[in-house]
Amino acid sequence: NGLNHNLEMYRDFFNEKFPLVYYWSAFITRFTFGGIEGARLASTIPASLTVGILFYLLSKSTKDFKLKIIFSVLILCFFVYSRSFNASTEQSLGLIYLLILLCIHNPKIQPKFQSIAVGTLMGVAFGLRQFALLPFLILLLAPWHRISRAYYVLAFLLSAMTWLSYFVYQGLIADLYNATLHIITANPNITQYIAPVGFLKGAFLCVFLIALLNFKIAETKIHKWLIFFALSCSATFFIRYGNFRLWPAFIVLLGLLFVTKPHKLFDAKDGNRLKYLFLIPAILLTIPYKLIYQFHSNNIEKYQDIIDVIKKETSNEDRVLIYPFDPNAYCLSERLPASKHYFMMPWTINNDVVKNIIDDINNKKAKIILVTNRFSAKQDLIMQAIQTNYSLEKYKDPVLEGKRSYMIYLRND
């Protein structure tokens, strides 16, 4: 929404992630639907292309109807169980990494063009997530190159510099660096970001089984290297919770089975045990037992009372603040935030951020401020600034939303 209102990432909106997924979403919402619907469409497009390519590869890899059904069920169950449909970045990365796999495994592509295409795609992936550097390095070392690795590296650098040049031109490169890279070393609370899901969750065990299946039937050195490439595509899962982070690894591992067409899996009569040993448990691990709950979990209904308050007290031009973390409410109420720092998480808050937020509050940029819970000691200074410039007279009692309660502060003037 901010980008479509001629505002800029990192200067006008803080975010610790790399930018391309937001520009992609802004492009889709500008020319299709606004708000949540557009953002969902931006996620649905790469997801649909990815699944479509997988199904095409599956249809080409085997004539065994039962095996086609097993893989199809596995893909759909994992998609629902991991909630991958909620993650625009992972959907885009899954598609890019799958295209990279297809480029590597297509012997008809000229060596020079192959290296350039893979390097270019990796440069785009880097624009979606910083951790794309890890799969880039693994592909640099992997023995798929049919020509000098310099072509691959140069294409990656040119691709990354293409999107970075926009931020250089706009004078945003320092803001980008401070928000996405410097924060990792400058914030004493960055360790709170590290919260792995754990390795006994169904989604990870499913990916682990498919990785083992690939390793069991790998017949070439390149195949084994690409297993590690696939796992590196979801490296963030090992740092931060979220089964959706496993979507790229899941996609590449399945794609690897379909493009290599191992005889032991698809053709051999004695391969049935191998199929069932790995694939049936994988499906059982990802059966979407929460499917009914997910379809009844509606963000619009969850935030409806708060949306009504915001729309009642503000016009389209007014800005609002919602702390510490409810970005969906901005989108659903169709209001822009009144501060560059429109959310607060422990790993994004430091003294400079607190000072910037207090300045925005003192300048009364927001007409209404919603607070959902008590602040920490450092953030108490923000609360003091709110109480100085805003009051609870009209909404003395908290507005309840599910398990949360919102204190509504209206500007004194």
Side-chain angles (χ1 to χ4, degrees):
N1 284 338
L3 293 173
N4 287 331
H5 284 80
N6 299 316
L7 300 172
E8 294 288 357
M9 279 197 71
Y10 308 120
R11 178 187 292 154
D12 299 307
F13 294 96
F14 168 84
N15 202 283
E16 74 275 24
K17 301 177 181 67
F18 268 16
L20 291 192
V21 70
Y22 300 104
Y23 284 88
W24 161 249
S25 297
F27 174 80
I28 294 298
T29 55
R30 174 171 290 185
F31 294 104
T32 56
F33 310 102
I36 290 292
E37 293 81 6
R40 286 174 175 163
L41 183 60
S43 177
T44 300
I45 290 172
S48 300
L49 290 172
T50 303
V51 174
I53 293 171
L54 274 184
F55 283 165
Y56 173 77
L57 295 174
L58 174 60
S59 71
K60 291 291 184 181
S61 63
T62 181
K63 295 180 180 179
D64 187 333
F65 181 75
K66 287 191 292 186
L67 199 55
K68 289 179 180 180
I69 292 296
I70 288 174
F71 274 113
S72 298
V73 171
L74 176 59
I75 292 168
L76 295 175
C77 285
F78 188 91
F79 184 73
V80 175
Y81 174 80
S82 64
R83 300 180 68 89
S84 296
F85 48 82
N86 277 348
S88 296
T89 302
E90 271 63 33
Q91 294 298 343
S92 301
L93 285 173
L95 176 60
I96 290 171
Y97 291 139
L98 181 58
L99 293 175
I100 287 173
L101 177 67
L102 295 180
C103 285
I104 291 174
H105 266 276
N106 190 338
K108 296 180 181 179
I109 301 177
Q110 294 182 358
K112 237 183 237 187
F113 182 76
Q114 182 188 48
S115 292
I116 292 172
V118 174
T120 301
L121 288 169
M122 283 303 312
V124 176
F126 181 58
L128 292 165
R129 194 179 288 286
Q130 297 94 311
F131 284 95
L133 276 177
L134 181 57
F136 163 76
L137 291 173
I138 289 178
L139 285 186
L140 178 63
L141 298 173
W144 61 275
H145 303 269
R146 295 183 286 158
I147 199 170
S148 171
R149 285 170 166 81
Y151 287 95
Y152 169 68
V153 174
L154 184 60
F156 170 80
L157 293 175
L158 288 175
S159 178
M161 287 171 62
T162 299
W163 62 263
L164 279 170
S165 64
Y166 171 80
F167 295 92
V168 174
Y169 176 76
Q170 295 290 344
L172 296 170
I173 201 70
D175 296 294
L176 184 153
Y177 169 76
N178 289 329
T180 61
L181 298 173
H182 180 64
I183 189 173
I184 297 175
T185 57
N187 196 315
N189 298 317
I190 195 64
T191 54
Q192 295 188 38
Y193 181 82
I194 301 173
V197 168
F199 304 127
L200 295 178
K201 300 289 185 179
F204 174 76
L205 293 175
C206 171
V207 169
F208 182 70
L209 280 174
I210 300 171
L212 280 181
L213 179 58
N214 268 284
F215 190 79
K216 178 76 175 174
I217 61 182
E219 298 174 350
T220 65
K221 193 175 180 181
I222 295 177
H223 191 151
K224 292 179 180 179
W225 269 91
L226 289 176
I227 296 171
F228 292 105
F229 163 68
L231 295 175
S232 72
C233 292
S234 292
T236 53
F237 171 83
F238 301 96
I239 299 170
R240 179 75 181 159
Y241 62 82
N243 288 333
F244 63 87
R245 297 176 189 274
L246 288 167
W247 177 252
F250 175 79
I251 290 300
V252 177
L253 287 169
L254 280 189
L256 194 52
L257 288 175
F258 300 157
V259 298
T260 55
K261 302 178 184 178
H263 176 77
K264 293 179 181 177
L265 179 63
F266 291 118
D267 299 321
K269 293 181 180 179
D270 60 353
N272 286 332
R273 291 183 181 178
L274 188 68
K275 300 171 189 177
Y276 298 135
L277 180 63
F278 288 93
L279 297 178
I280 299 302
I283 291 175
L284 293 175
L285 287 167
T286 57
I287 289 178
Y289 59 91
K290 292 183 178 179
L291 187 61
I292 296 176
Y293 164 77
Q294 289 178 8
F295 274 112
H296 283 83
S297 179
N298 190 311
N299 271 329
I300 295 178
E301 294 177 356
K302 175 183 176 182
Y303 289 102
Q304 193 58 58
D305 290 344
I306 292 302
I307 294 168
D308 291 342
V309 169
I310 293 174
K311 288 191 171 183
K312 178 182 177 182
E313 300 293 344
T314 64
S315 63
N316 290 337
E317 294 75 27
D318 290 324
R319 302 290 189 96
V320 303
L321 283 175
I322 307 167
Y323 286 137
F325 187 82
D326 276 300
N328 281 344
Y330 292 109
C331 298
L332 294 171
S333 63
E334 299 177 343
R335 299 293 185 268
L336 291 172
S339 175
K340 169 182 177 179
H341 301 278
Y342 56 95
F343 67 91
M344 294 187 293
M345 301 297 277
W347 50 88
T348 67
I349 291 292
N350 57 33
N351 291 333
D352 291 337
V353 172
V354 170
K355 182 180 182 301
N356 289 337
I357 292 174
I358 290 174
D359 288 342
D360 290 332
I361 292 171
N362 287 334
N363 289 329
K364 301 179 181 179
K365 293 183 177 181
K367 186 172 182 182
I368 185 172
I369 299 177
L370 291 76
V371 180
T372 60
N373 61 4
R374 293 183 61 185
F375 289 164
S376 66
K378 181 185 288 187
Q379 297 162 359
D380 277 345
L381 295 173
I382 297 175
M383 199 69 228
Q384 292 175 19
I386 293 174
Q387 292 171 341
T388 300
N389 298 285
Y390 296 77
S391 65
L392 287 165
E393 291 181 4
K394 191 171 182 180
Y395 294 93
K396 293 181 181 179
D397 297 323
V399 177
L400 299 178
E401 287 290 349
K403 296 180 180 180
R404 296 190 179 195
S405 60
Y406 292 76
M407 299 300 295
I408 312 296
Y409 288 87
L410 295 173
R411 199 167 59 204
N412 290 334
D413 59 355

